[in-house]
Amino acid sequence: MTWASIDLNADLGEGFGRWRLTDDEELLSVVTSANVACGFHAGDAATMRRVCAQAAERGVRIGAQVSYRDLAGFGRRAMDVPAAELAAEVAYQIGALEVFARAAGAAVAYVKPHGALYNRVVHDGEQAAAVVEGVRLAGAGLPVLGLPGSRLLEAAAEAGLPVVTEAFADRAYTDGGTLVPRGTEGAVVTAADTVVERSLGLATSGTVLAHSGRRISVRARSLCLHGDTPGAVELARQVRSGLEAAGVRVEAFA
């Protein structure tokens, strides 16, 4: 599948207090959508306010990146959270970010799970339904961003929420179209030329080479570049330049 345009999203606001992991200001000059940490895996009130203001100033869409409550593990540890509790915590995170988005003259435009929650809702129907219920509790009918074929997007569609598929130019894939676990060698792709090549393939043909070397179909409306990847800003610039040079418009989906 070839898209006339594609969105570039990145995880931003992933700091806490004086500690900052992502170069938010520079990444906001490249991406079209910002997945802003809402305080459960990273981020705090001051960080959310700052990133929302910077995103609004640049016309970048603001997304709520919701997570399990896991600051110590950066939201990447497996957790078992009761469905009702998870739904409430998802709504809570969206609501917190919405305050700062509104203050910046914008609004939360979509929702994306983070880390262990993102991976869990690919296959876990109960947790996926809880995330969707949390989005509905927040009351805005927001689009949900997730992996193609995931239980999350299936549940969101069934609930009448807009769904947006995404792909990862800097993460390795299994033959089944899921992400290779981070502990596996080669799970994160850092070579700039490889990431750009993968981005072009995803945007223009809807395919990517899996970890096994097999070419698989991954149809996505948005490409994610991780803000904590080494050299993330320069990598993002090269990806955007490569896409535009190939005639692909880079613009927000929301």
Side-chain angles (χ1 to χ4, degrees):
M1 170 177 285
T2 301
W3 295 103
S5 66
I6 198 157
D7 173 66
L8 280 182
N9 76 76
D11 303 343
L12 302 179
E14 292 185 326
F16 195 80
R18 296 177 62 185
W19 177 72
R20 293 188 186 183
L21 176 64
T22 50
D23 190 343
D24 300 324
E25 189 167 4
E26 289 300 320
L27 282 167
L28 284 168
S29 68
V30 182
V31 300
T32 48
S33 296
N35 315 317
V36 183
C38 298
F40 272 37
H41 75 280
D44 54 33
T47 301
M48 285 189 280
R49 182 180 184 183
R50 171 177 52 80
V51 175
C52 284
Q54 291 173 345
E57 182 180 354
R58 292 163 175 77
V60 175
R61 300 298 186 270
I62 297 169
Q65 188 167 41
V66 298
S67 170
Y68 288 127
R69 188 189 293 270
D70 182 27
L71 271 177
F74 196 61
R76 287 178 176 163
R77 297 185 293 190
M79 304 184 77
D80 289 314
V81 180
E85 182 178 340
L86 179 58
E89 292 192 337
V90 166
Y92 179 93
Q93 291 174 79
I94 296 169
L97 187 65
E98 180 67 19
V99 168
F100 300 114
R102 291 287 182 187
V108 173
Y110 65 95
V111 177
K112 174 185 173 178
H114 164 82
L117 181 58
Y118 187 98
N119 292 325
R120 181 77 171 265
V121 296
V122 171
H123 302 294
D124 190 318
E126 181 182 44
Q127 294 281 278
V131 171
V132 170
E133 178 61 20
V135 177
R136 295 179 66 195
L137 276 173
L142 295 170
V144 176
L145 183 62
L147 207 66
S150 65
R151 297 297 298 273
L152 174 66
L153 294 193
E154 179 182 298
E158 289 175 354
L161 298 176
V163 298
V164 182
T165 55
E166 78 168 335
F168 295 81
D170 56 2
R171 288 294 309 279
Y173 280 86
T174 68
D175 286 356
T178 58
L179 299 180
V180 172
R182 280 184 172 267
T184 305
E185 185 177 353
V188 178
V189 183
T190 57
D193 56 347
T194 303
V195 174
V196 172
E197 181 182 0
R198 289 164 66 85
S199 299
L200 289 171
L202 287 163
T204 61
S205 68
T207 65
V208 68
L209 283 179
H211 196 50
S212 66
R214 176 188 172 195
R215 184 162 293 277
I216 62 171
S217 174
V218 180
R219 298 183 175 184
R221 177 67 185 83
S222 182
L223 288 178
C224 178
L225 293 171
H226 285 91
D228 60 343
T229 299
V233 173
E234 181 57 30
L235 196 59
R237 289 189 180 123
Q238 290 188 43
V239 167
R240 178 157 188 165
S241 294
L243 290 169
E244 292 175 338
V248 179
R249 294 198 314 275
V250 179
E251 60 185 15
F253 64 81

